[in-house]
Amino acid sequence: MNFDEYRGVWIFIEQNDGKIEGVSLELLGAGRKLADKLQVPLGGFLLGSGVKPLAKQVIAFGADEVYMVDHPVLKQYRTESYMQGVMLLVEKYKPEIILYGATPNGKDLASAVATDLVTGLTADTTMLDVDVDSRLLEASRPAFGGNIMATILCKKHRPQMATVRPKVMKALEPDSGKVGKIIEESIDLKEENMRTKVLQIVNDVTKKANLAEAHVIVCGGKGMGDVQNFQILYELADTIGATVGGTRDVVEAGWLPHELQIGQTGETVTPKIYFAIALSGAIQHVVGMKNSDLIIAINKDPNAPIFDVATYGIVGDALEIVPKLIQQFKQLRTEKGGEVSYAREI
């Protein structure tokens, strides 16, 4: 394999019903840094039906080039059809790095493409960098139960590929004046040749707390002692208009459902304010919340790792401190006429 033939950083632009997934825009921001270091173009590859209007948005968020395959068979995601489209593009243009969002579709497509290309794939990456001299992608992720960070390299194959969880990277501010190149490729796909058919799309209409979109989160750890003590975090959350989350230990203890777990094996969040209460701050939790704008940690242990990432830290017993915070916030809310916008004043 001649590695010199492979140049460029590509991002899989995942879209659903004509709307680009947020993780793809975040990856354009991360990819922009990698492409600039390697002095190569940043490309986005876009598959679907009627997706041409999305190309300008991809360019506005940082791409220099958009590679597009538009075909009616690509209207709904299917592994077989999408893999054929990606293989067409990759084999023709030979990017050296490809990044995918670690969504159900992104992970499915990345693993299928990696198998067909016989190349490596690093899953659930939380940090990305490149070695300019070797042109190796340095994809880092927690390993051994989250106790260490492992940096994984793909030295013998191209392209180098990784999936990245939503909310780990930050999107660039869009530049509507940015000029880029749109490259359209045609593909011969026939519906009758597809081995899978989309029979029905069923949307989930159940009401669930949306941690990923929450502006203020109160996250509790096993240090709260028991499920009864944990309830005061709900009172704090109700007082300040926040959403409650928990660590893996809390979920495994049955105090919270899995959809409220924050961390490597749960949700990745980026709220404006994050209360980390009675949790140690293990790597597998920190990777899920480290990009919060403001982190307030409460822990009895002054050496707890959570204080290393906290904006403000309070050393003390959460069972004593949290009720006092609730009292102060309630008083402030009363002074503000019952509004919860005071949370911005913390």
Side-chain angles (χ1 to χ4, degrees):
M1 179 177 284
N2 182 5
F3 286 1
D4 290 337
E5 294 179 355
Y6 291 81
R7 286 293 182 269
V9 177
W10 279 20
I11 310 299
F12 170 51
I13 307 300
E14 183 176 351
Q15 57 81 29
N16 285 296
D17 295 326
K19 181 180 179 182
I20 296 175
E21 293 291 329
V23 66
S24 299
L25 303 180
E26 294 160 12
L27 286 178
L28 285 169
R32 181 75 269 165
K33 296 177 183 177
L34 301 181
D36 289 346
K37 289 184 74 170
L38 292 171
Q39 298 182 346
V40 295
L42 173 64
F45 60 103
L46 178 63
L47 292 85
S49 178
V51 294
K52 189 172 182 178
L54 300 178
K56 290 184 179 180
Q57 185 181 358
V58 177
I59 293 170
F61 275 88
D64 301 306
E65 302 166 340
V66 180
Y67 298 85
M68 186 170 57
V69 181
D70 196 306
H71 193 284
V73 175
L74 298 171
K75 181 174 178 59
Q76 303 291 347
Y77 175 81
R78 283 176 286 183
T79 309
E80 183 182 7
S81 56
Y82 267 62
M83 186 176 70
Q84 289 183 39
V86 175
M87 293 297 294
L88 169 72
L89 295 173
V90 172
E91 290 178 342
K92 181 173 182 177
Y93 294 102
K94 294 181 167 54
E96 58 193 305
I97 293 171
I98 305 178
L99 304 177
Y100 305 77
T103 61
N105 289 350
K107 289 189 286 188
D108 178 71
L109 179 62
S111 58
V113 171
T115 301
D116 244 38
L117 290 173
V118 193
T119 190
L121 172 66
T122 304
D124 286 336
T125 305
T126 59
M127 290 190 292
L128 295 168
D129 203 353
V130 287
D131 182 288
V132 176
D133 294 330
S134 65
R135 305 189 75 83
L136 285 173
L137 173 67
E138 298 175 345
S140 300
R141 54 156 295 156
F144 294 100
N147 293 317
I148 65 170
M149 290 294 291
T151 299
I152 300 170
L153 309 176
C154 182
K155 294 183 176 181
K156 297 182 179 180
H157 303 277
R158 291 294 182 273
Q160 306 163 87
M161 304 206 307
T163 63
V164 183
R165 298 183 66 178
K167 301 293 184 179
V168 171
M169 307 297 172
K170 290 196 174 183
L172 300 173
E173 288 296 322
D175 178 5
S176 58
K178 189 176 186 303
V179 177
K181 189 176 180 182
I182 300 174
I183 302 157
E184 295 186 58
E185 291 288 340
S186 60
I187 189 171
D188 183 20
L189 293 174
K190 291 183 172 59
E191 184 61 45
E192 58 267 25
N193 294 335
M194 296 295 109
R195 288 174 289 184
T196 58
K197 310 293 181 185
V198 179
L199 301 180
Q200 185 180 12
I201 304 296
V202 180
N203 295 318
D204 185 359
V205 296
T206 58
K207 282 192 172 182
K208 296 180 181 177
N210 191 345
L211 285 171
E213 301 299 327
H215 293 300
V216 184
I217 292 176
V218 173
C219 182
K222 200 70 180 294
M224 291 302 296
D226 56 43
V227 68
Q228 285 77 26
N229 290 338
F230 200 88
Q231 299 310 304
I232 68 170
L233 300 187
Y234 279 98
E235 186 179 355
L236 174 60
D238 288 341
T239 304
I240 62 176
T243 300
V244 173
T247 61
R248 185 176 66 180
D249 287 345
V250 164
V251 171
E252 289 178 348
W255 301 356
L256 285 177
H258 182 266
E259 61 262 25
L260 297 180
Q261 179 180 326
I262 298 169
Q264 180 186 354
T265 53
E267 289 284 341
T268 301
V269 298
T270 55
K272 297 182 185 301
I273 304 172
Y274 187 90
F275 286 88
I277 301 176
L279 58 90
S280 64
I283 292 174
Q284 59 264 40
H285 179 74
V286 170
V287 296
M289 46 68 73
K290 65 180 180 179
N291 288 328
S292 304
D293 290 348
L294 182 70
I295 300 171
I296 302 170
I298 303 173
N299 200 293
K300 288 192 288 189
D301 180 6
N303 298 313
I306 191 64
F307 289 124
D308 295 334
V309 296
T311 313
Y312 301 107
I314 303 172
V315 178
D317 188 343
L319 298 180
E320 297 177 2
I321 295 169
V322 173
K324 293 180 180 178
L325 288 177
I326 294 171
Q327 181 182 0
Q328 290 296 313
F329 286 137
K330 284 183 176 179
Q331 181 179 341
L332 185 56
R333 187 174 65 179
T334 300
E335 294 172 358
K336 295 290 183 178
E339 297 179 359
V340 295
S341 60
Y342 67 85
R344 295 194 297 266
E345 302 178 18
I346 294 175

